[in-house]
């Protein structure tokens, strides 16, 4: 009986975790929208001034899905030259990742 209860409890926990992950909010491009402030994704990131953003990344950011990037914050990973764009819209924050050549990195 105890084994059955433990198995049922484990199944419910795993199902709940899977449901929570499957229901993460996304925008119209399928990019995950961060709703809670989690600073862990910025680990090893340095803030980049807009005049220091590479030309290849600026070209990519001209796309309509990155509208408002100029008012957002661009970060560069100090270990890998990957870039992160964070655009805030009210209480929500959208994050996008790019490689050193300015190409989007899919999550």
């Amino acid at each position: 009986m105890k084994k059955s209860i433990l198995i049922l409890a484990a199944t419910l926990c795993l199902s709940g975790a899977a449901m929570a992950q499957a229901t993460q909010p996304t925008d119209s491009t399928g990019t995950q929208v961060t709703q809670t402030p989690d600073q862990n994704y910025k680990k090893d990131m340095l803030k980049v001034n807009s005049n220091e953003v590479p030309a290849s990344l600026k070209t990519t950011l001209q796309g309509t899905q990155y509208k408002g990037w100029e008012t957002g914050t661009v970060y560069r990973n100090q270990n890998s030259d990957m870039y992160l764009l964070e655009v805030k819209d009210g209480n929500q924050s959208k994050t996008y990742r790019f490689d050193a050549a300015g190409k989007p990195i899919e999550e």
Side-chain angles (χ1 to χ4, degrees):
M1 180 72 173
K2 288 182 182 180
K3 286 183 182 179
S4 298
I5 292 173
L6 285 174
I7 290 171
L8 178 62
T11 303
L12 289 174
C13 287
L14 290 174
S15 297
M19 291 286 288
Q21 188 175 22
T23 59
Q24 287 293 323
T26 58
D27 66 6
S28 61
T29 64
T31 303
Q32 184 175 341
V33 177
T34 306
Q35 291 184 325
T36 57
D38 179 11
Q39 300 302 315
N40 225 9
Y41 68 94
K42 292 183 195 173
K43 185 179 180 211
D44 299 326
M45 297 292 231
L46 300 172
K47 191 173 179 179
V48 176
N49 292 326
S50 59
N51 61 343
E52 298 172 340
V53 174
S56 57
L57 180 53
K58 282 185 180 179
T59 301
T60 302
L61 295 176
Q62 298 308 312
T64 57
Q65 68 267 36
Y66 308 115
K67 182 178 179 181
W69 79 269
E70 299 88 353
T71 60
T73 307
V74 178
Y75 299 90
R76 181 184 56 83
N77 186 301
Q78 57 189 341
N79 299 321
S80 64
D81 282 339
M82 298 274 193
Y83 290 87
L84 175 109
L85 168 64
E86 181 178 59
V87 180
K88 294 186 180 189
D89 182 19
N91 291 337
Q92 292 188 339
S93 176
K94 295 180 185 179
T95 58
Y96 305 93
R97 290 178 172 74
F98 305 91
D99 65 14
K103 294 183 181 178
I105 298 172
E106 298 298 322
E107 298 293 325

